[in-house]
Amino acid sequence: MTEPLFIIPLWADLLGVALGGIQGAMFASGFQGERRLDWLGVAIIGIMIGMGGGLIRDLLIGQPPATLQSDWYLITAVGAALFGMLLAGVFNRINILIVVLDAVVIGMFGAFGVSKAVAFGIPPIPAVFIGACAAVGGGVLRDVLMGLPVAIMHVGSLYAVAAGVGCTAIMIMHAFGVGITLAAVIGIVLTAIIRVLAVVYDLSLPEQRRLYRRKVATETGMIPIIKP
Amino acid sequence: MTEPLFIIPLWADLLGVALGGIQGAMFASGFQGERRLDWLGVAIIGIMIGMGGGLIRDLLIGQPPATLQSDWYLITAVGAALFGMLLAGVFNRINILIVVLDAVVIGMFGAFGVSKAVAFGIPPIPAVFIGACAAVGGGVLRDVLMGLPVAIMHVGSLYAVAAGVGCTAIMIMHAFGVGITLAAVIGIVLTAIIRVLAVVYDLSLPEQRRLYRRKVATETGMIPIIKP
Amino acid sequence: MTEPLFIIPLWADLLGVALGGIQGAMFASGFQGERRLDWLGVAIIGIMIGMGGGLIRDLLIGQPPATLQSDWYLITAVGAALFGMLLAGVFNRINILIVVLDAVVIGMFGAFGVSKAVAFGIPPIPAVFIGACAAVGGGVLRDVLMGLPVAIMHVGSLYAVAAGVGCTAIMIMHAFGVGITLAAVIGIVLTAIIRVLAVVYDLSLPEQRRLYRRKVATETGMIPIIKP
């Protein structure tokens, strides 16, 4: 460990968990009819989105999962998920809010991931990789456990790209001596902007466009994040 | 670590692995026709059910997997799986036996999970969470690797609820000074009773009932655990 | 730790990652039409095949993932994947080359897995198990994330058998005092030969043959590894 240990402030970590939990609940509320989830399913998805990224981050760094060292993470994730479920009827009408929330959550998990990896002496490239995995890991866990096609592989590469760009920016700023807090904030904003722009302008890497269209068209019961 | 280190006795741990291996083999034997598994597939499922929960528990606690620190776990899991496969023809006619066995296995993995988590200084709420993950983790691993819908998300929330209640009971008894062995036994019995009652009386959380019915009806080749 | 620490030479580790990355890219290039992957998807698969086995190995041993302790692993995996993608048109015509490459990669990951496990004091049987998991782990990760049926469970038991035999041979030679380097080379060759022979002669465990045929026939867009 050549770097001073960077401790992510508990409030920031819990904020990420809470936003993730709300986002997970809003995602879960999009399932209607036969696939509708009960409150426990919503809570599980909230936990996965809120805490999954941090869990994967810590496994990759080789540290005990920080989200299980305190009672607050689970309380926050479950509380946020139930709160998100109750308000889903409202939030679902404000589609752009879900998109922005998702984008900010990705940015936060990515920033926390790369920062913690650097603090534990991981070299720059794997640190960015760990940040990207932390950013998208909760969504991957959710998709695998829900039996959904893993979004990251088929329609969501820009998801990973957004996180990767934000984490790379943090790494570069860190190398040039920018304080980790400022760098993290800039990285989060950068990731969120890329992700929101990608959704708004329907951007995707060349091969993905058709796939995405097809998904929106055929998977009824899913929330189409963008208007077709 | 503020607690004295609780060592799960090897015989108890191996008993859980053996029962899990038998249960996994009986599950695997339910696949007929094109999805029929060979003996190696049965052994792999036995390993996943017998050892998967403990593996997930140790990853979440941040300890090296205990099931890989001794030759006995793999020998037991594989031996139990092959034993279960040979006797599946007999056991499958005694449907309630499979259900009870499954319920006891969940209870044991949950109890071992919460006990070990507490012993390593994990706070109460994440300790219960780790117990519940250990209880259902083997089944989740199995479903993901088999390409089955993950039972826990769609028909099995009461699975997780049963484990969660048992683990919570252990945690509360522990807080009130009850010895961990007695608390664990009570927790196992509690989990098993809830699970068996849920199966016998076809209980589920409100939203799940229809899903479950549908699963039993459409997935031919699966063992319907309850009579429809 | 009763054994002297065996350090896998970086060049050997990176060679395995590079071959895995190339193999992953060639696998990915087999997806055509709607499931076609963009370059980022190919890179992700390259990372999973090249580094997934080592990651699973280290999680099972209880060590921080070695592949994330140096910048070179990710550079190698991604570089190899993009190289493999560019040359896929050529390589795909040389089908046996893909099979041999895959077989050697399995052998290497298995040998590294069992060697490292032994070096960290894991007993023989779990050490062989860790080797086999390392050998097939990258492919399992790939299948789960791609939403493909996990090959190991349905058509690929001989995959795991080949790795298991190679790892067992290494373990036995090690017990009889054969140097780990020589033992590893023999184990890799043994695994690769079994795997290649299995493909060439269409070997499978009794129950699997029909399944495999069916897979080749129905999953258009996949590379049929063997001629039907």
Side-chain angles (χ1 to χ4, degrees):
Chain A
M1 260 181 269
T2 56
E3 313 270 339
L5 201 67
F6 170 74
I7 306 287
I8 300 163
L10 185 62
W11 67 263
D13 224 2
L14 290 180
L15 180 62
V17 170
L19 294 179
I22 293 173
Q23 207 275 334
M26 293 198 302
F27 176 89
S29 71
F31 289 92
Q32 297 296 336
E34 293 201 334
R35 300 200 70 171
R36 193 165 168 190
L37 293 166
D38 60 24
W39 62 267
L40 183 61
V42 170
I44 293 175
I45 290 183
I47 291 172
M48 285 192 289
I49 300 288
M51 297 171 55
L55 178 62
I56 289 172
R57 171 198 67 199
D58 293 338
L59 287 179
L60 293 179
I61 294 177
Q63 290 292 314
T67 53
L68 299 173
Q69 305 298 316
S70 150
D71 285 335
W72 287 108
Y73 290 90
L74 278 159
I75 293 173
T76 305
V78 171
L82 298 181
F83 176 75
M85 185 173 65
L86 292 175
L87 296 192
V90 178
F91 282 139
N92 274 335
R93 299 217 181 85
I94 316 169
N95 206 9
I96 190 65
L97 182 65
I98 305 181
V99 171
V100 171
L101 185 59
D102 185 39
V104 171
V105 168
I106 297 168
M108 291 180 77
F109 287 151
F112 294 166
V114 70
S115 304
K116 184 163 181 178
V118 168
F120 278 89
I122 306 282
I125 294 176
V128 168
F129 176 76
I130 289 172
C133 288
V136 303
V140 169
L141 270 186
R142 176 199 66 200
D143 292 341
V144 168
L145 290 193
M146 301 278 301
L148 298 173
V150 177
I152 189 75
M153 292 307 298
H154 289 298
V155 298
S157 294
L158 264 184
Y159 222 70
V161 167
V165 169
C167 292
T168 305
I170 292 171
M171 206 67 236
I172 291 172
M173 285 185 280
H174 179 74
F176 280 93
V178 178
I180 194 74
T181 308
L182 177 60
V185 170
I186 295 174
I188 292 170
V189 171
L190 195 57
T191 297
I193 288 176
I194 293 173
R195 177 68 194 148
V196 170
L197 287 181
V199 171
V200 171
Y201 291 106
D202 190 13
L203 295 179
S204 60
L205 293 177
E207 291 297 341
Q208 297 181 314
R209 187 171 296 259
R210 198 167 43 178
L211 258 179
Y212 189 73
R213 283 271 159 67
R214 182 168 148 265
K215 179 158 184 274
V216 170
T218 59
E219 287 192 17
T220 54
M222 300 276 300
I223 315 162
I225 295 291
I226 55 159
K227 280 102 189 169
Chain B
M1 258 180 271
T2 56
E3 313 271 338
L5 200 68
F6 169 74
I7 305 287
I8 301 162
L10 184 63
W11 67 264
D13 224 3
L14 290 180
L15 180 62
V17 169
L19 294 178
I22 292 173
Q23 206 276 334
M26 294 198 303
F27 176 89
S29 71
F31 289 92
Q32 297 296 335
E34 292 201 334
R35 300 199 69 170
R36 192 164 166 190
L37 292 166
D38 59 27
W39 62 267
L40 184 60
V42 170
I44 292 176
I45 290 183
I47 291 172
M48 286 192 289
I49 300 290
M51 297 170 55
L55 179 62
I56 289 172
R57 172 198 67 199
D58 292 339
L59 287 179
L60 293 178
I61 294 177
Q63 289 292 313
T67 54
L68 298 174
Q69 305 297 316
S70 150
D71 285 334
W72 287 108
Y73 290 90
L74 277 160
I75 293 173
T76 303
V78 171
L82 298 182
F83 176 75
M85 185 173 65
L86 292 174
L87 297 191
V90 177
F91 283 140
N92 274 335
R93 300 219 179 83
I94 317 169
N95 207 7
I96 190 66
L97 183 65
I98 305 181
V99 170
V100 171
L101 185 59
D102 185 39
V104 171
V105 169
I106 296 167
M108 290 181 77
F109 288 150
F112 295 166
V114 70
S115 305
K116 185 164 181 177
V118 168
F120 278 88
I122 306 283
I125 294 176
V128 168
F129 176 76
I130 290 172
C133 288
V136 303
V140 170
L141 269 186
R142 176 200 65 199
D143 292 341
V144 168
L145 290 193
M146 301 278 302
L148 299 172
V150 176
I152 189 78
M153 293 306 298
H154 289 297
V155 298
S157 294
L158 264 185
Y159 221 73
V161 168
V165 169
C167 292
T168 304
I170 292 172
M171 206 67 236
I172 292 171
M173 285 185 280
H174 179 74
F176 281 91
V178 178
I180 194 73
T181 307
L182 176 60
V185 169
I186 296 174
I188 292 170
V189 170
L190 195 58
T191 297
I193 287 175
I194 294 173
R195 176 69 193 147
V196 170
L197 287 181
V199 172
V200 170
Y201 291 105
D202 191 12
L203 297 179
S204 59
L205 295 177
E207 292 296 342
Q208 297 182 313
R209 187 172 297 259
R210 198 168 42 178
L211 257 179
Y212 188 73
R213 282 273 159 65
R214 182 169 148 263
K215 178 158 182 276
V216 169
T218 59
E219 288 191 18
T220 53
M222 301 275 302
I223 314 163
I225 294 292
I226 54 158
K227 279 102 190 167
Chain C
M1 260 180 269
T2 55
E3 312 272 338
L5 201 68
F6 170 75
I7 305 288
I8 300 163
L10 185 62
W11 67 264
D13 225 3
L14 290 180
L15 181 61
V17 170
L19 295 179
I22 292 173
Q23 207 276 334
M26 294 197 302
F27 175 90
S29 72
F31 289 91
Q32 297 296 336
E34 293 200 334
R35 299 199 73 170
R36 192 164 167 191
L37 293 165
D38 60 25
W39 62 266
L40 184 61
V42 170
I44 292 175
I45 290 183
I47 290 172
M48 286 192 289
I49 300 290
M51 297 170 54
L55 178 62
I56 289 172
R57 173 198 66 200
D58 292 339
L59 287 178
L60 293 178
I61 294 176
Q63 290 291 314
T67 54
L68 298 174
Q69 305 297 316
S70 149
D71 285 335
W72 287 108
Y73 291 90
L74 278 160
I75 292 173
T76 304
V78 171
L82 298 182
F83 177 74
M85 185 174 65
L86 291 174
L87 295 191
V90 177
F91 282 140
N92 274 336
R93 299 216 180 86
I94 316 170
N95 206 8
I96 190 66
L97 183 64
I98 305 182
V99 171
V100 171
L101 185 58
D102 185 38
V104 171
V105 168
I106 296 167
M108 290 181 77
F109 288 150
F112 294 165
V114 70
S115 304
K116 185 164 180 177
V118 168
F120 278 88
I122 306 282
I125 294 175
V128 168
F129 176 75
I130 289 172
C133 288
V136 304
V140 170
L141 270 186
R142 176 199 65 199
D143 292 341
V144 168
L145 290 193
M146 301 277 303
L148 298 173
V150 177
I152 190 76
M153 292 307 297
H154 289 298
V155 298
S157 295
L158 264 184
Y159 221 72
V161 167
V165 169
C167 292
T168 305
I170 292 172
M171 206 66 236
I172 291 172
M173 285 185 279
H174 179 73
F176 280 93
V178 178
I180 194 74
T181 307
L182 177 60
V185 169
I186 295 174
I188 292 170
V189 170
L190 195 58
T191 297
I193 287 175
I194 293 172
R195 176 69 193 148
V196 170
L197 287 181
V199 172
V200 170
Y201 291 105
D202 191 13
L203 297 179
S204 60
L205 295 177
E207 291 297 342
Q208 297 182 314
R209 187 172 296 259
R210 197 169 43 179
L211 259 178
Y212 188 72
R213 282 272 160 66
R214 182 169 148 264
K215 178 158 184 276
V216 170
T218 59
E219 289 191 16
T220 54
M222 301 275 302
I223 314 164
I225 295 290
I226 55 159
K227 278 102 190 168

